[in-house]
Amino acid sequence: MPQQIDSAAVYNNEAQCAAAITASRLPREEIFFTSKVRNISYEGAKEQVAATLAATQLDYIDQMLLHCPYGGSENRKRAWKALVEAVEEGKVRSIGVSNYGVAHLDELEKHIAELEAERGGEGKGGILSVGQWEIHCWCQRNDIVEWCRKRGVAVEAYSPLVRAQRFGDATVQRIAARHGKTEAQVLIRWSLQKGFVPLPKSTAVARLKENADVFGWELSADEVEELGTSEYAPVCWDPTTAGLDE
Ligand SMILES: NC(=O)c1ccc[n+]([C@@H]2O[C@H](COP(=O)([O-])OP(=O)(O)OC[C@H]3O[C@@H](n4cnc5c(N)ncnc54)[C@H](OP(=O)(O)O)[C@@H]3O)[C@@H](O)[C@H]2O)c1
């Protein structure tokens, strides 16, 4: 299974990720390296692809996302076009968006159709393969998830551990104790069983191992249901609610 590394220009860690990839001595095809475009415009996306390739010394980027919808409609369309061109040039393998609300996703679908018409046909508008959002038991984003499911778009879930702010929750503790697992493992397992690609972060080696040790057991369907709340309580930024002109 390839090792997914979620980086971004704004995290200032692309070069460090690349150094870790080199140090791991894993074959390139066993790495899945993601980065994100900070400045949502045609030039911003073009420059970002070049800068990421330069910073990482990788031959190609597995996945490039528009980090957020901020920038206005025309800039979003043109940034997307730059990513489509990067795929055609072999610099990027797959493209997607992060922190887009349903209105931004609907608009992107329109932009893809427009680009197809402008650039000469099917596929020329690019393929939305993946989206990344803050998703956990206290921020389920069912509208966005449903939009993606209908179109076969993979959903990556960031902050799946709620930035450690919900440890101690009685339901999570009870279910963790029942399975002999940690609360972090229960939250990651919930994300996996909901069909997401969870992106837990830790700076501690022991926790990295704990967070990866989530296979060979399952939450019941009732437990998955019980863990998911109706709260809308993001702990990170939330550009999904931005207007289309922002
Ligand atoms: N697209 C976006 O806009 C966006 C935004 C935010 C994040 N992300 C991505 O999502 C990743 C994760 O998100 P995040 O860092 O916001 O949140 P997170 O993974 O939910 O939480 C990280 C926090 O949980 C702690 N932690 C990790 N494993 C633990 C364990 N087993 N037991 C107890 N505490 C544990 C970490 O502390 P220690 O380090 O001390 O273990 C850290 O404080 C980021 O690295 C980034 O790649 C994307």
Side-chain angles (χ1 to χ4, degrees):
M1 194 194 304
Q3 306 296 311
Q4 149 99 303
I5 297 176
D6 187 68
S7 183
V10 80
Y11 307 158
N12 289 319
N13 68 356
E14 290 176 310
Q16 292 90 330
C17 290
I21 291 169
T22 306
S24 76
R25 296 176 185 271
L26 284 168
R28 177 67 183 87
E29 62 273 18
E30 287 185 26
I31 300 289
F32 191 87
F33 180 78
T34 298
S35 196
K36 310 188 190 89
V37 175
R38 177 201 310 243
N39 171 6
I40 307 303
S41 66
Y42 183 78
E43 296 72 22
K46 280 267 177 214
E47 285 165 17
Q48 188 60 64
V49 170
T52 298
L53 288 171
T56 58
Q57 293 293 299
L58 293 173
D59 292 336
Y60 62 89
I61 302 157
D62 296 275
Q63 179 168 284
M64 200 72 175
L65 309 180
L66 299 180
H67 205 145
C68 67
Y70 296 137
S73 182
E74 195 54 29
N75 278 325
R76 279 191 294 276
K77 179 177 174 180
R78 288 171 51 75
W80 180 259
K81 183 181 175 196
L83 291 190
V84 174
E85 290 173 354
V87 172
E88 290 168 352
E89 291 160 6
K91 295 174 179 171
V92 171
R93 293 269 168 101
S94 64
I95 55 179
V97 296
S98 183
N99 298 304
Y100 272 39
V102 168
H104 306 112
L105 291 167
D106 286 340
E107 179 201 68
L108 175 58
E109 208 160 46
K110 186 168 71 78
H111 286 163
I112 289 173
E114 288 170 5
L115 286 169
E116 279 193 346
E118 291 162 19
R119 300 184 74 242
E122 202 174 335
K124 290 287 187 181
I127 296 167
L128 176 65
S129 305
V130 64
Q132 187 180 119
W133 292 271
E134 178 180 341
I135 297 180
H136 45 68
C137 301
W138 296 271
C139 185
Q140 294 209 57
R141 301 198 189 282
N142 291 326
D143 55 346
I144 290 172
V145 171
E146 189 186 337
W147 193 99
C148 290
R149 293 267 188 271
K150 279 187 183 154
R151 293 158 178 84
V153 176
V155 176
E156 295 185 341
Y158 74 72
S159 306
L161 302 175
V162 209
R163 294 197 156 171
Q165 292 179 25
R166 296 282 188 159
F167 291 140
D169 175 90
T171 304
V172 182
Q173 276 191 332
R174 178 167 39 79
I175 292 174
R178 188 183 295 154
H179 289 275
K181 301 294 176 186
T182 67
E183 291 176 70
Q185 288 170 325
V186 166
L187 294 182
I188 294 168
R189 201 59 232 172
W190 179 87
S191 193
L192 286 169
Q193 289 185 224
K194 291 287 284 187
F196 308 137
V197 180
L199 303 173
K201 186 190 106 176
S202 179
T203 51
V205 173
R207 286 175 175 168
L208 286 171
K209 288 182 179 162
E210 172 188 328
N211 297 345
D213 184 18
V214 288
F215 300 100
W217 64 283
E218 283 191 351
L219 298 168
S220 70
D222 285 348
E223 287 169 336
V224 171
E225 182 70 24
E226 191 184 354
L227 284 162
T229 76
S230 58
E231 281 188 49
Y232 183 82
V235 293
C236 203
W237 62 335
D238 191 8
T240 64
T241 58
L244 288 178
D245 55 351
E246 285 183 57

